[in-house]
């Protein structure tokens, strides 16, 4: 089945059988968004330190064997294994970084330290603890198997092997891995340029006193945190009042020089807001009512300005809804545009110790607290699950994910949880 264009979906929603903008499931929305994304094309060569959190643009091929020589996994004695041999003459020492010069004949051995090169002629290391030493004479008290305690050249990484593939998000272990190969620079995709702004007449920036009816703009701070963690190059365009001229100006300036624009607020269906009209004028944007809680309204599309286009995500204004929709839709999309292949969040089943009220037919992302009791991990939902209560996100350490088919749950039922740590 070919993917309809954004315009086709906007003007004729029934062109796709499973497409209903007023009842979008989380999975459907994700798969629609995915079809319109492209990976940034620019790449840059970076010293490995600076590649942390970036996405590799090329495969990394091992230029050598790691380790590059057979070496000892233990402190002990290296010798040529032979049946029945238990007494050997010690003829020298091999330290890590200081190999024994010479070869080992049958009946001879060399004291060897962990990491020391296995001398020519030796094939086995007997642990120090399994021997007794008397002057130059070594007696093996417990004969090892042939080849024991020897780390083979190339056993970690072999010359010519693909060590990391393009699309891999560089983690701390990868930095060490690259260093172990003697690699100094890697090619990565450039950072994604993301602009974001809040919308709403009631919003005021921190540092100013609150007048009646005003609230501090918190969404820009959570968005800042989430985007920085994803490694985006961000532009914070502020809190923009519900004023069509200012909103249009901000939207177009964001579209001119960014890959992605994220807004919060003003996309509720039926709301007398200006964003919808502006997005129709300058782009192709879909407005969805999601079958999820929190995060019912969601807008996705493309905004055009002279010679440039940017992907657009319109997130609901309620602070928890902003975060949940970011994690469920925006995060994956940004990772794809960064050149990475997003993996599903690891999801575990644990016992929920409290009853949960839940309507069937929508996916809920309740804020939960995983805790240890009687030596086991259990979860309970935080008491206030309102989508405006941001403290629930701060106090929680996981989402309790309740699928569309799930209804009310009694206490002590298994539920799916997704840990915040690692995904945030
Ligand atoms: P909206 O999506 O614009 O209808 O906003 C829904 C709710 O979220 C309203 O109570 C807004 O005041 C609140 N809200 C919208 N934007 C923000 C923001 N940036 N920071 C905190 N609350 C917000
Ligand atoms: Mg609003």
């Amino acid at each position: 089945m070919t993917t309809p264009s954004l315009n086709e979906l906007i003007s004729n929603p029934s062109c796709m059988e499973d497409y209903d903008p007023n009842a979008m499931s989380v999975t459907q929305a994700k798969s629609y968004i995915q079809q319109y994304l492209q990976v940034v094309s620019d790449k840059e060569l970076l010293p490995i330190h600076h590649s942390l959190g970036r996405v590799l643009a090329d495969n990394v091929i091992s230029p050598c064997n790691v380790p590059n020589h057979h070496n000892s996994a233990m402190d002990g004695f290296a010798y040529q294994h032979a049946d029945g041999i238990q007494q050997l003459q010690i003829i020298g020492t091999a330290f890590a970084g200081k190999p024994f010069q010479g070869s080992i004949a049958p009946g001879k051995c060399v004291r060897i330290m962990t990491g020391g090169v296995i001398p020519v002629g030796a094939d086995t290391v007997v642990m120090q603890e399994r021997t007794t030493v008397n002057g130059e004479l070594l007696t093996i008290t417990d004969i090892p198997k042939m080849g024991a305690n020897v780390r083979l050249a190339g056993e970690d990484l072999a010359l010519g092997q693909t060590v990391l593939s393009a699309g891999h998000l560089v983690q701390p272990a990868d930095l060490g891995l690259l260093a172990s190969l003697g690699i100094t620079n890697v090619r990565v995709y450039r950072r994604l340029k993301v602009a974001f702004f809040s919308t709403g007449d009631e919003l005021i920036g921190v540092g100013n006193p609150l007048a009646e009816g005003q609230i501090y703009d918190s969404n820009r701070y959570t968005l800042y945190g989430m985007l920085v963690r994803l490694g985006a190059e961000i532009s914070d365009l502020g809190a923009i009042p519900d004023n069509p001229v200012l909103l249009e100006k901000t939207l177009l300036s964001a579209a001119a020089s960014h890959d992605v624009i994220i807004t919060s607020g003003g996309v509720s269906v039926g709301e007398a807001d200006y964003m919808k009209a502006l997005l129709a004028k300058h782009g192709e944007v879909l407005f969805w009512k999601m079958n999820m809680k929190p995060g019912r309204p969601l807008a996705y599309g493309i905004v055009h300005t002279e010679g440039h286009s940017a992907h657009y995500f319109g997130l609901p204004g309620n602070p928890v809804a902003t975060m949940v929709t970011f994690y469920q839709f925006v995060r994956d999309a940004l990772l794809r545009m960064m050149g990475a292949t997003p993996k599903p969040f690891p999801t575990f089943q644990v016992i929920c110790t409290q009853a949960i009220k839940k309507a069937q037919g929508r996916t809920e992302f309740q804020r939960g607290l995983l805790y240890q009791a009687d030596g086991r991990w259990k979860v309970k939902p935080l008491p206030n699950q309102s989508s405006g209560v941001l403290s629930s996100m701060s106090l929680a350490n996981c989402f309790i994910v309740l699928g569309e088919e799930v209804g009310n749950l009694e206490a002590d039922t298994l539920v799916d949880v997704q840990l915040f740590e690692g995904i945030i």
Side-chain angles (χ1 to χ4, degrees), residues 198-200 202-203 215-220 242 264-268 271 297 315-319 322:
S198 302
T199 70
E202 74 281 29
L203 303 178
I215 58 168
Y216 286 120
D217 172 9
S218 60
N219 288 344
R220 268 191 305 131
D242 294 315
S264 73
V267 291
S268 302
E271 193 177 329
L315 309 184
N318 271 312
T322 302

Side-chain angles (χ1 to χ4, degrees), residues 2-285:
T2 53
T3 311
S5 68
L6 284 167
N7 265 331
E8 278 170 315
L9 278 183
I10 293 166
S11 54
N12 180 18
S14 56
C15 69
M16 293 296 283
E17 228 175 70
D18 67 340
Y19 181 79
D20 179 356
N22 293 315
M24 285 293 281
S25 77
V26 176
T27 5
Q28 265 179 330
K30 273 189 193 167
S31 74
Y32 272 105
I33 293 173
Q34 196 181 318
Q35 298 176 48
Y36 301 105
L37 305 171
Q38 302 98 31
V39 178
V40 293
S41 49
D42 305 335
K43 299 165 186 179
E44 53 188 330
L45 192 67
L46 289 185
I48 57 174
H49 270 136
H50 296 164
S51 70
L52 184 66
R54 303 290 291 270
V55 179
L56 293 177
D58 297 332
N59 289 345
V60 174
I61 309 294
S62 178
C64 56
N65 282 318
V66 178
N68 64 11
H69 49 258
H70 300 333
N71 69 90
S72 178
M74 294 285 172
D75 290 341
F77 296 87
Y79 73 110
Q80 207 177 98
H81 195 277
D83 284 343
I85 292 245
Q86 258 178 292
Q87 302 227 306
L88 300 156
Q89 188 198 353
I90 306 170
I91 57 164
T93 307
F95 294 96
K98 271 195 215 142
F100 172 74
Q101 304 296 333
S103 61
I104 297 186
K108 312 280 179 193
C109 72
V110 153
R111 182 185 286 277
I112 194 164
M113 309 304 155
T114 306
V117 175
I118 304 290
V120 177
D123 54 25
T124 303
V125 172
V126 57
M127 279 168 77
Q128 196 166 282
E129 294 82 347
R130 309 261 158 92
T131 63
T132 54
V133 177
N134 190 352
E136 280 192 359
L137 185 70
L138 178 82
T139 306
I140 300 177
T141 49
D142 186 357
I143 299 175
K145 283 198 187 126
M146 168 141 169
N149 304 317
V150 173
R151 300 193 287 218
L152 298 176
E155 106 180 358
D156 185 355
L157 304 166
L159 170 73
Q161 179 186 337
T162 300
V163 175
L164 296 169
S165 302
H168 183 82
L169 197 69
V170 179
Q171 306 287 323
D174 305 324
L175 299 183
L177 192 71
L178 293 164
S180 77
L181 295 168
I183 291 175
T184 49
N185 296 298
V186 282
R187 198 171 300 281
V188 298
Y189 289 107
R190 75 156 163 79
R191 281 182 199 279
L192 208 59
K193 294 179 192 158
V194 182
F196 57 99
F197 58 96
S198 302
T199 70
D201 280 338
E202 74 281 29
L203 303 178
I204 185 143
V206 295
N208 299 297
L210 280 183
E212 196 189 345
Q214 288 183 325
I215 58 168
Y216 286 120
D217 172 9
S218 60
N219 288 344
R220 268 191 305 131
Y221 289 83
T222 46
L223 278 170
Y224 163 87
M226 297 186 290
L227 288 165
V228 167
R229 281 236 175 150
L230 264 186
E233 190 179 303
I234 52 168
S235 306
D236 178 346
L237 303 183
I240 312 297
D242 294 315
N243 167 322
V245 178
L246 287 177
L247 287 170
E248 184 169 38
K249 204 172 133 220
T250 314
L251 186 73
L252 294 183
S253 82
S257 51
H258 295 88
D259 303 302
V260 177
I261 306 167
I262 302 173
T263 62
S264 73
V267 291
S268 302
V269 179
E271 193 177 329
D273 63 61
Y274 306 103
M275 282 309 281
K276 211 169 170 178
L278 279 176
L279 292 163
K281 182 172 162 196
H282 297 291
E284 304 143 57
V285 176

